[in-house]
Amino acid sequence: MIEEQSIIKVAMADLNVGSQDSLIRTTGLGSCVGLTLYDPGKKLGGMAHVMLPSSDIAREGQLNIAKFADTAVPELLSRLIELGAVRSRIVAKMAGGSQMFAFAGGNDTMRIGPRNVESCKLALEALKIPLIAEDTGGSYGRTIEIACNTGVLFIRSVQKGSKEI
Amino acid sequence: MELFKHFKDFKMDVLKEIGNIGAGNAATALSQLLNKPIDMAVPKVQLLSFEEITEKVGGAEKLVYAIFLRVEGEAPGNLFFILSPEAATSLLSRIAGIEISGGDELSEMELSALNEIGNILAGSYLSSLADFTSLSMYPTVPALAMDMAGAILGYGLLQFGQMGDNALLIDTTFLEGNNEIEGQFFLIPDPESFPKIFKSLGVPFEDD
C-alpha cells in the first residue's frame, strides 16, 4: 500500500464509516463481533464493534446503539447510506464472536460470542443484506481492518496468524 | 441506571481498601512462593471507559497472559490476573524452576504451572476479601488465556455492557525487584455487587 490511507479507529461498542482512502480498524475483538458493511460501487465502508446480542437486556438510561447487534446493524446501514452508499449493492462481512474462556457448565455469558454472531446474522437477514464472508468463533482474539478501496477484510490474530476475507 | 453517581470519595476509599487487603494477601502468597519480598503498589480504584481499561495493560492488541476466574457467591464479579509474556516467563522460571526453552510458546506443563500460580494468588486475594466483607465469594475453576488484552478483558466487561459504557476497576500491580515480575490484578465486580459490598461494610449506598 503506497498511497496514504487514513485509519479510522472503532472502539469497543462503537461504529464508524469511511470512504475510499480509509482503513477502518478495530482491535482486540474477543467475544465481540466486528461487523462490516461495504458498497463496492462507491467504495464506502463501515464497521461496528458489537458487544452484546440484543438491546432488550440494556439497563442503561441512554442506549448506546453501537453496542448491541440489533441496533448497531441498522444504524451502520443508515450511516453508510447517508454517506452516499447504494443500498442494493451493500454486502456484509464479519469476524470475532469467539469464546475466550471455556468452562464446563458455563452460564449464558459464557456463550456470548456465538450469540453475538447469531444476532448479527438475524439483523442482516432482517435488512436483506447478504453476508458474503465471515471468520467467527474459536477461542482467540482478532484485530480486523477493512480497506475501503477494495472491501477486503484483513484479520490478524495471535494464535492463528493473519488472513483476508 | 446511574450507579456511579452515588460514588463519593469515601466510597472509593472503601473500595480501595478492599483492593488493598485482597492484594496484600496475594502479595504475601506470592512472596512465599518465590521466597522473595514482593512489593505491591497501592491499589487504584477507577471508573473507566472500556477503552481506558484495555489501555491500562498496554492497549487492546497487547499480548498478555491472563488467568481469569469468575467470582461467584453473594458479590459476584470477574477477577483477572494479567501478566506480560516476559513476566510470565520470569515467574515460571523462579517459582517452578523451569528454564523456558525459548521460542514463543509455553509448553502444556508451563501453562499449567502458570495457571496454578494464578489460582493460588487469586484464591488468596478472594478469601481475604470474603473475610473482610463477610460476604461469600468463591472462585470458579481458573482459565488461562494468552491473547490480545482487549479480547480477554472485553469478556470481563460484559455485565457492565448491559448498563453503561464504564466499569469500575480495582487494579493492583505487583513488583519484584526492578519490575522483573509485573502482574496486575483486575477485579471487576458485577454492578449488582456494589450495594452488597457497601452494605456489608456499613456504608449507606443510596444516600447522596
Side-chain angles (χ1 to χ4, degrees):
Chain A
M1 264 167 258
I2 293 157
E3 73 263 43
E4 278 291 299
Q5 290 185 307
S6 64
I7 293 170
I8 298 169
K9 254 202 101 178
V10 174
M12 186 183 287
D14 183 19
L15 59 79
N16 217 332
V17 290
S19 54
Q20 184 157 4
D21 57 350
S22 34
L23 289 167
I24 312 175
R25 174 189 296 165
T26 196
T27 52
L29 287 167
S31 54
C32 298
V33 169
L35 183 130
T36 66
L37 297 181
Y38 185 65
D39 173 355
K42 289 267 182 78
K43 299 188 188 300
L44 297 171
M47 182 185 289
H49 185 136
V50 171
M51 193 175 175
L52 292 164
S54 164
S55 57
D56 291 347
I57 54 169
R59 285 175 285 165
E60 55 196 318
Q62 190 134 34
L63 195 69
N64 175 357
I65 48 180
K67 192 190 293 174
F68 307 97
D70 62 334
T71 50
V73 181
E75 172 67 12
L76 189 62
L77 177 65
S78 64
R79 289 277 298 275
L80 205 56
I81 290 170
E82 238 170 68
L83 201 64
V86 177
R87 199 191 187 292
S88 58
R89 280 199 303 237
I90 292 175
V91 291
K93 292 182 183 179
M94 65 181 177
S98 72
Q99 199 164 350
M100 294 304 293
F101 297 97
F103 288 102
N107 61 23
D108 250 15
T109 313
M110 304 298 171
R111 275 202 72 247
I112 203 86
R115 284 173 55 213
N116 279 336
V117 172
E118 286 158 25
S119 189
C120 283
K121 285 182 181 170
L122 286 176
L124 289 171
E125 269 168 35
L127 296 164
K128 303 203 170 10
I129 301 170
L131 177 68
I132 57 167
E134 66 173 304
D135 177 45
T136 57
S139 57
Y140 55 95
R142 298 167 172 91
T143 281
I144 63 168
E145 198 171 88
I146 186 167
C148 292
N149 54 354
T150 59
V152 170
L153 187 65
F154 299 93
I155 301 159
R156 211 161 54 237
S157 74
V158 174
Q159 295 174 28
K160 305 277 174 181
S162 305
K163 63 161 104 169
E164 292 180 7
I165 61 173
Chain B
M1 187 175 165
E2 301 290 339
L3 176 66
F4 299 113
K5 281 203 173 149
H6 296 289
F7 278 35
K8 285 194 160 173
D9 284 351
F10 83 97
K11 287 183 181 161
M12 286 298 203
D13 283 343
V14 168
L15 287 172
K16 191 166 166 177
E17 187 54 23
I18 287 174
N20 205 352
I21 288 166
N25 246 24
T28 307
L30 186 57
S31 286
Q32 286 164 356
L33 275 169
L34 289 171
N35 202 19
K36 286 200 171 79
I38 297 293
D39 288 330
M40 180 193 67
V42 176
K44 290 186 217 93
V45 177
Q46 289 166 293
L47 182 61
L48 296 173
S49 71
F50 300 154
E51 207 66 8
E52 288 168 324
I53 287 181
T54 51
E55 286 309 318
K56 304 271 292 180
V57 286
E61 270 202 290
K62 158 102 177 169
L63 181 64
V64 294
Y65 283 91
I67 291 119
F68 164 63
L69 300 98
R70 174 75 188 151
V71 179
E72 291 178 346
E74 288 173 280
N78 294 316
L79 183 62
F80 292 91
F81 182 51
I82 306 264
L83 294 161
S84 67
E86 300 75 38
T89 309
S90 162
L91 201 54
L92 278 174
S93 57
R94 281 150 196 273
I95 290 177
I98 299 169
E99 268 317 309
I100 309 299
S101 47
D104 292 337
E105 300 230 335
L106 294 176
S107 69
E108 282 288 307
M109 204 263 274
E110 290 159 354
L111 289 172
S112 170
L114 191 60
N115 201 11
E116 194 46 43
I117 293 164
N119 195 21
I120 291 167
L121 297 184
S124 152
Y125 187 105
L126 268 188
S127 67
S128 67
L129 289 196
D131 286 349
F132 183 59
T133 57
S134 310
L135 292 169
S136 76
M137 291 184 204
Y138 47 93
T140 58
V141 177
L144 177 76
M146 189 272 295
D147 214 308
M148 299 173 185
I152 288 170
L153 286 173
Y155 192 82
L157 302 174
L158 292 172
Q159 274 84 4
F160 275 92
Q162 297 174 15
M163 54 175 293
D165 293 316
N166 295 288
L168 196 90
L169 180 77
I170 302 174
D171 147 29
T172 314
T173 302
F174 294 102
L175 303 163
E176 189 265 333
N178 296 323
N179 297 357
E180 280 177 276
I181 291 179
E182 189 168 337
Q184 282 174 299
F185 259 112
F186 288 162
L187 176 65
I188 309 177
D190 287 359
E192 292 82 1
S193 296
F194 290 107
K196 291 180 193 157
I197 291 173
F198 286 122
K199 188 163 177 256
S200 77
L201 298 172
V203 180
F205 186 70
E206 294 299 340
D207 68 324
D208 282 324

